Amino acid sequence: MHAIIYRWPRYLISLFLIITLNFALPRMMPGDPIANLIGESAYVSEATIQEITQSLGLDRPLHEQFTLYLQSLASLDLGYSYLLHAEVSSIIIERMIWTLGFVGIATLIGVILGVLLGAAAGMNRSQKSSQLWTYGSIAISSTPPYFLGLIALSIFSFHFGLFPLKGAPATGGILTWLHHLALPIAVLALFIAARNCLIMRGSVIQELHEHYPLYAKAKGLTDRMVLRRHILKNASLPVITQIALDIGFIFSGALFIEIVFSMPGMGMLIYDAVLSRDYPILEGCLLVIAIMVILANIAADILYGIIDPRIRRGE
Amino acid sequence: MNRAGLIGFAILSIFFLMAVAPWIFAPYDPYIRFTPYAEPGTDHILGTNDMGHDILSELIYSARASLFVGFVAAILATLLGVIIGIIAGYYRGWIEDLLMGVTDIFLMIPKIPMIIIIAAFLGSGIWVLILVFGAFSWTAIARIARSKVLQIRESGFVLSARCLGFSNRFIMAREIAPNLTHIVFPKFMLLAASAMITEASISFIGLGDPSMKSWGVMLSFAFTKGGLLNGMWWWYIPPGIAISVCVMAIALIGYSREKGADIGVRG
Amino acid sequence: MSRLLDIKNLSVSFVSGEETVRAVTDVSFDLCEDEVLTLVGETGCGKSIIAHAISGLLPPEALVSGEIRYKEKDLQSIPEEERVLLRGCEIGIVLQNPSRALNPLYTIGHQIRETILRHTEKSKEESNRMVAGALRRMGFSDPGIEMKRYPFESSGGMNQRFVIASSTILSPDLLIADEPTTGLDRSRIQDVITEFERIMEEEEMAIILITHDLAVARRLADRIGIMYAGEVVEMGDANRIFEEPYHPYTKGLFGSLPENGCVPIPGVSPPMSRIVSGCRFHPRCGKRTAVCERDHPQLGMIDDRYVRCHLCHSQ
Ligand SMILES: Nc1ncnc2c1ncn2[C@@H]1O[C@H](COP(=O)(O)OP(=O)(O)O)[C@@H](O)[C@H]1O
Ligand SMILES: [Mg+2]
């Protein structure tokens, strides 16, 4: 437990860093700070500009502005999108549900698949099949995830017409949803599986250099039992840390896949916000993603603590 | 180097040649305008795009920007990481605690969203991408560099250099840094690979450098100008394949140099 | 005493690329029930390889020739399923480096119990009682506490005794202990020696004890085999050899003991990938003659023991 508490300041500082950056970017960047704060292509009346200047305290010194900014964050106010005419927080929450569901399901499938294939590849390094997994994984993780999406879309949707072009139906029951979501989830899961396969493989190979698998074998366990009862558990430790650190990357990959499949999640939101330079939305998204990465790391710490007695009972 | 590493090296060499002297390979100047939306044929092996540019020539000329971003960003991140890692490992004490704490914090910052937002504010350009990528990607290198320095700081040659009264800076630069090459190199290659994928992603959402042709920019145009919807696979598949193959070549070289986790057969 | 183990012309080599490492060459010995044989020799001379060859723990890339007969069965030719069941039950092995032989993520109790659960029909509770009994016999007054510990919470010496307890829990007929005292301080070494003396007294067990600590060998051995560069150079009754060594290498080894003046043998062991012609020890031997450089000596009977030396045979 000690180790987890020890890391708390780092999470807080990293959150603080992002918040500070969010605060500083529109105010420091070249150009009109008002335009930077509300988005370049938003047209607002003179009265609204006055109002914004007032509420954000733009006419006051920076440290007072920062206090105001922190206060509004504390009340979960991420600002207002003058292009979408809505609170940034409510827009993001609406979109985030999509993205979280999408990333959650794909991560679950991808991690299980990747860990199993990686373990197999690490155990029998010279086998043809494990080399296939290994090189396949390198190839997939060398490809931008959205390009995997493009290929899947052009093969399965355009060429064979098996799946719809868009990843989200307007209406319909659970089957329609599954039909729409199957392809993007498969693509993201494949991407995640490839990365985890490589990590797990390396981790298993590392564990094989240890002595305890040999001693477990000396107790009369078969190779399969040694793998299941000993190596898998030990090798999963570095994988947990890696996945947590990878969450930012997986999330970004998911955003781009959403764009390719026109899914109404945060990816599309960011894409549209980039095109229209809707800065409040972009800043809100960055903050939310950063918080998710931090949460994933905290979750990984807790999981690590449950599995590893050295962390749980350590000094 | 193993066989996979050698294959990677051969492929990367070809891409480098394309980046240095694209005119050797390209049938046309990539800015000449022909009939737009032409299908693949004898004149244009991969057809033409919405502007009438020859896609094959565009593909070849794009190697330069993609490789440039990848390697310059990786060099920047590696330099930062090595410097921070050496200082932390050499001085130890509170300096080490501080630098490693900063490393942990930076490790958690989502890179791509960060680049997106800064590029959205500053306007797109490869230098924004390179600088932001470098500024947030040094963490892994700093960690391995530090642990290696911790190993070698007590070794004979470092101790004797200290006894001889060489300055700390001299010892770090001349005695320690060269010993890090073989552990830093694989990570450097993987960083270059990751930077190229990042470039392709950022360009895809329209934040690429508008004045340069890169594979990501090509994909972005193919996607937004109807290449995908019209089934013009020869427009959007080749740049994607080029990214994958080039990144994979770089990654294979990196992995082949990594100790312990050796991929594939030794040849 | 009847014969338990009979090893004939055992050779083990590793081929990697151009290079062949001949780790063990043409080793033969037998072992009776209840006998303690010690193998001594410098690091890298092939002791562990012999231990692993007997228990079937060599990595798949090892090339093994010769015969290992255990209770009249040729271990090389019995099916793997049968051999797996011998390990831990009939043949126990204590690997070099105790702390690394234990899995850091499981409690001591779990790891000792694992052997019992694998080979018997006993319930978890019965197994726990058995483990507690074994630990109590080893002098741990409160086994319940020890069993709940993790390896990182005990010292190297304690972990070594846990490994010995685990390897002997089912009273195997053959126990192989690979450098059980290396890396321990004096008093811990004493604990381990006491433990072995207790086992030798209370249990009917043949023991192959590998060590390069001659003091330990002297305390425990009935018979001793001296190895050099993958070969046995002298083997016979322990007391007789300690009284009067014949082979120049054995003499050198004994001469390097503190009580004999700490005179090290000049030179270093040759790499096993480039075996010298003639007697393998001749480059370091003070008494070498022309024939030593030319002909490889055979292991031959002199008086009460086997010796591999031209000089001893010509006397
Ligand atoms: N997996 C392996 N591949 C190649 N050589 C090996 C391998 N394992 C051991 N060896 C070599 O076999 C020789 C004997 O090793 P070992 O039996 O472990 O020595 P020791 O007598 O110290 O226990 C050493 O020279 C070692 O380099
Ligand atoms: Mg050994």
Side-chain angles (χ1 to χ4, degrees):
Chain A
M1 275 308 156
H2 176 86
I4 298 174
I5 292 164
Y6 175 71
R7 286 166 65 94
W8 269 99
R10 294 180 188 184
Y11 296 136
L12 290 179
I13 295 173
S14 118
L15 186 63
F16 185 75
L17 197 72
I18 300 270
I19 290 174
T20 314
L21 212 88
N22 261 347
F23 168 80
L25 272 175
R27 290 168 175 83
M28 308 291 170
M29 285 293 154
D32 177 17
I34 294 275
N36 285 342
L37 279 166
I38 63 176
E40 260 159 35
S41 34
Y43 291 103
V44 289
S45 66
E46 194 61 33
T48 322
I49 290 184
Q50 284 299 322
E51 197 185 311
I52 294 167
T53 312
Q54 270 289 301
S55 66
L56 298 180
L58 292 182
D59 44 1
R60 290 195 257 164
L62 273 180
H63 66 270
E64 285 181 28
Q65 291 185 34
F66 192 50
T67 320
L68 273 176
Y69 180 71
L70 289 182
Q71 274 166 3
S72 57
L73 277 187
S75 57
L76 295 181
D77 174 11
L78 294 178
Y80 188 82
S81 166
Y82 291 89
L83 283 161
L84 299 178
H85 302 289
E87 290 288 335
V88 171
S89 49
S90 58
I91 299 174
I92 290 183
I93 287 174
E94 189 189 314
R95 302 296 195 97
M96 205 166 68
I97 294 169
W98 268 96
T99 306
L100 283 183
F102 171 50
V103 174
I105 298 173
T107 306
L108 199 67
I109 300 174
V111 166
I112 293 173
L113 198 68
V115 160
L116 292 181
L117 287 180
M123 286 299 285
N124 326 293
R125 249 184 301 171
S126 45
Q127 249 171 37
K128 277 277 172 293
S129 65
S130 55
Q131 291 192 0
L132 186 74
W133 302 137
T134 309
Y135 284 109
S137 297
I138 296 180
I140 290 170
S141 40
S142 298
T143 308
Y146 71 85
F147 181 63
L148 286 179
L150 280 177
I151 295 178
L153 202 58
S154 70
I155 295 177
F156 295 108
S157 298
F158 279 106
H159 199 263
F160 292 117
L162 291 176
F163 292 97
L165 283 177
K166 291 201 171 202
T171 53
I174 183 97
L175 277 179
T176 333
W177 279 65
L178 273 183
H179 192 211
H180 281 261
L181 276 173
L183 209 49
I185 286 180
V187 169
L188 185 57
L190 191 66
F191 179 68
I192 295 170
R195 290 179 76 81
N196 284 314
C197 177
L198 291 178
I199 298 170
M200 185 66 183
R201 177 181 179 278
S203 184
V204 165
I205 291 173
Q206 204 124 51
E207 293 302 319
L208 283 176
H209 288 304
E210 290 294 322
H211 291 200
Y212 72 84
L214 195 67
Y215 187 60
K217 196 175 167 185
K219 288 177 181 173
L221 303 192
T222 60
D223 284 339
R224 187 180 276 270
M225 292 173 178
V226 175
L227 174 67
R228 271 219 322 270
R229 299 189 193 165
H230 288 269
I231 296 176
L232 268 187
K233 186 168 177 181
N234 295 52
S236 68
L237 283 178
V239 177
I240 291 171
T241 320
Q242 267 303 315
I243 293 174
L245 290 176
D246 231 25
I247 280 287
F249 201 74
I250 290 174
F251 221 84
S252 313
L255 301 182
F256 285 95
I257 293 174
E258 283 185 359
I259 297 170
V260 169
F261 287 94
S262 323
M263 288 160 68
M266 283 178 77
M268 253 345 238
L269 183 66
I270 292 178
Y271 186 51
D272 290 336
V274 164
L275 294 182
S276 59
R277 296 291 190 269
D278 192 344
Y279 299 126
I281 292 280
L282 286 178
E283 295 214 309
C285 287
L286 175 66
L287 187 61
V288 166
I289 293 172
I291 289 174
M292 294 210 218
V293 172
I294 291 173
L295 288 180
N297 277 280
I298 292 174
D301 278 354
I302 293 171
L303 199 58
Y304 208 107
I306 292 174
I307 298 182
D308 192 340
R310 286 165 294 189
I311 303 291
R312 183 166 15 108
R313 310 230 303 223
E315 55 292 344
Chain B
M1 207 184 284
N2 62 17
R3 193 164 49 197
L6 286 175
I7 293 173
F9 187 75
I11 295 173
L12 186 62
S13 309
I14 297 172
F15 278 113
F16 261 115
L17 208 58
M18 277 188 202
V20 174
W23 51 86
I24 299 178
F25 302 87
Y28 305 100
D29 183 300
Y31 290 98
I32 300 177
R33 293 181 149 206
F34 302 93
T35 331
Y37 296 115
E39 294 197 3
T42 42
D43 288 348
H44 304 285
I45 297 173
L46 292 176
T48 59
N49 65 11
D50 59 317
M51 303 285 285
H53 299 154
D54 178 64
I55 291 176
L56 178 62
S57 308
E58 218 185 354
L59 191 71
I60 290 164
Y61 273 84
S62 293
R64 181 179 294 177
S66 300
L67 282 172
F68 183 80
V69 171
F71 279 92
V72 175
I75 289 172
L76 185 65
T78 305
L79 279 180
L80 268 174
V82 167
I83 291 172
I84 290 171
I86 291 184
I87 292 177
Y90 186 78
Y91 287 110
R92 313 228 39 195
W94 66 271
I95 297 183
E96 182 183 21
D97 289 345
L98 178 76
L99 288 178
M100 287 301 112
V102 170
T103 309
D104 275 1
I105 289 162
F106 269 66
L107 209 54
M108 260 179 296
I109 292 177
K111 237 180 295 181
I112 292 181
M114 197 61 141
I115 297 175
I116 291 177
I117 197 162
I118 293 181
F121 271 116
L122 280 181
S124 37
I126 53 171
W127 284 105
V128 173
L129 180 61
I130 289 173
L131 290 176
V132 180
F133 185 91
F136 290 100
S137 304
W138 49 268
T139 47
I141 301 238
R143 279 186 165 186
I144 56 160
R146 168 185 156 270
S147 47
K148 184 72 185 172
V149 173
L150 288 184
Q151 275 171 34
I152 59 179
R153 75 194 292 274
E154 305 302 335
S155 64
F157 62 94
V158 174
L159 289 179
S160 61
R162 254 192 264 179
C163 291
L164 289 173
F166 286 113
S167 72
N168 286 333
R169 259 178 66 188
F170 180 88
I171 296 174
M172 286 190 274
R174 294 294 169 80
E175 303 284 341
I176 294 180
N179 284 294
L180 300 179
T181 355
H182 66 281
I183 58 153
V184 165
F185 179 76
K187 291 275 178 284
F188 165 75
M189 291 306 269
L190 295 181
L191 268 182
S194 153
M196 285 180 65
I197 292 191
T198 306
E199 187 274 337
S201 305
I202 299 298
S203 301
F204 183 69
I205 55 169
L207 289 173
D209 195 321
S211 64
M212 281 179 103
K213 284 186 185 294
S214 81
W215 294 319
V217 172
M218 286 179 73
L219 272 166
S220 166
F221 281 120
F223 183 67
T224 50
K225 308 278 176 182
L228 179 72
L229 289 174
N230 297 318
M232 297 166 68
W233 55 265
W234 54 87
W235 189 2
Y236 61 87
I237 296 283
I241 301 254
I243 297 168
S244 302
V245 172
C246 190
V247 168
M248 187 164 171
I250 295 172
L252 283 179
I253 299 173
Y255 283 127
S256 73
R257 284 291 171 185
E258 200 144 30
K259 211 179 69 195
D262 51 325
I263 300 259
V265 277
R266 297 181 174 280
Chain C
M1 283 200 289
S2 66
R3 206 187 280 171
L4 183 72
L5 183 73
D6 193 2
I7 294 179
K8 284 211 176 72
N9 308 101
L10 175 70
S11 296
V12 181
S13 51
F14 297 92
V15 180
S16 65
E18 301 289 290
E19 219 179 51
T20 303
V21 177
R22 294 168 61 80
V24 169
T25 320
D26 206 13
V27 166
S28 305
F29 61 83
D30 58 5
L31 189 69
C32 297
E33 285 168 10
D34 225 6
E35 186 182 22
V36 180
L37 169 73
T38 342
L39 293 177
V40 291
E42 288 165 41
T43 300
C45 69
K47 305 182 298 289
S48 297
I49 297 291
I50 294 181
H52 290 190
I54 297 169
S55 15
L57 295 177
L58 286 174
E61 68 267 23
L63 302 173
V64 187
S65 68
E67 218 179 55
I68 304 172
R69 295 191 81 81
Y70 168 80
K71 290 188 181 168
E72 305 308 315
K73 284 185 294 246
D74 181 8
L75 292 185
Q76 301 288 96
S77 55
I78 61 172
E80 182 58 26
E81 299 87 69
E82 204 177 317
R83 197 162 189 197
V84 160
L85 291 175
L86 285 179
R87 280 198 285 273
C89 183
E90 290 195 28
I91 301 179
I93 179 167
V94 176
L95 294 178
Q96 211 170 332
N97 206 334
S99 293
R100 290 180 65 194
L102 293 168
N103 188 328
L105 303 187
Y106 290 112
T107 58
I108 303 293
H110 178 106
Q111 301 195 50
I112 304 182
R113 195 169 63 216
E114 197 171 24
T115 316
I116 307 174
L117 294 177
R118 167 76 175 125
H119 293 283
T120 66
E121 299 292 312
K122 289 200 166 58
S123 70
K124 203 175 148 186
E125 286 68 37
E126 282 177 285
S127 315
N128 276 342
R129 273 197 295 279
M130 241 177 113
V131 175
L135 290 181
R136 200 168 287 122
R137 276 197 299 286
M138 292 184 85
F140 291 104
S141 54
D142 195 347
I145 291 183
E146 307 302 332
M147 285 165 66
K148 288 203 187 70
R149 277 178 193 271
Y150 287 93
F152 78 98
E153 294 171 318
S154 333
S155 68
M158 285 207 338
N159 282 335
Q160 180 64 295
R161 286 157 74 200
F162 292 141
V163 171
I164 294 173
S166 161
S167 299
T168 53
I169 192 87
L170 293 177
S171 301
D173 298 322
L174 172 63
L175 175 68
I176 304 169
D178 193 355
E179 310 209 5
T181 56
T182 305
L184 303 181
D185 57 43
R186 269 286 142 202
S187 61
R188 301 290 139 227
I189 291 180
Q190 192 52 50
D191 286 348
V192 171
I193 292 179
T194 314
E195 187 52 39
F196 272 95
E197 281 170 342
R198 186 190 65 75
I199 292 172
M200 285 153 59
E201 203 167 295
E202 292 176 10
E203 320 236 0
E204 298 250 311
M205 216 180 273
I207 299 177
I208 297 178
L209 177 70
I210 293 170
T211 182
H212 52 225
D213 187 336
L214 290 169
V216 175
R218 189 166 210 168
R219 282 278 296 273
L220 299 174
D222 296 326
R223 203 145 52 98
I224 188 167
I226 317 286
M227 291 189 61
Y228 184 78
E231 290 180 322
V232 171
V233 293
E234 185 163 0
M235 183 178 272
D237 180 75
N239 290 329
R240 285 288 303 125
I241 291 184
F242 274 108
E243 270 163 33
E244 191 190 356
Y246 282 6
H247 196 281
Y249 176 67
T250 317
K251 286 180 188 160
L253 210 56
F254 291 173
S256 65
L257 281 179
E259 61 265 33
N260 298 338
C262 277
V263 189
I265 309 172
V268 290
S269 314
M272 307 281 252
S273 49
R274 261 177 291 117
I275 299 286
V276 293
S277 63
C279 173
R280 290 187 183 175
F281 184 61
H282 85 256
R284 298 170 74 186
C285 183
K287 306 197 187 75
R288 64 167 175 267
T289 60
V291 68
C292 299
E293 291 171 29
R294 197 182 58 235
D295 295 333
H296 184 235
Q298 294 303 310
L299 193 66
M301 191 82 166
I302 303 177
D303 305 336
D304 51 357
R305 67 188 78 176
Y306 291 95
V307 185
R308 189 189 291 277
C309 177
H310 291 300
L311 306 171
C312 302
H313 286 286
S314 55
Q315 270 165 13

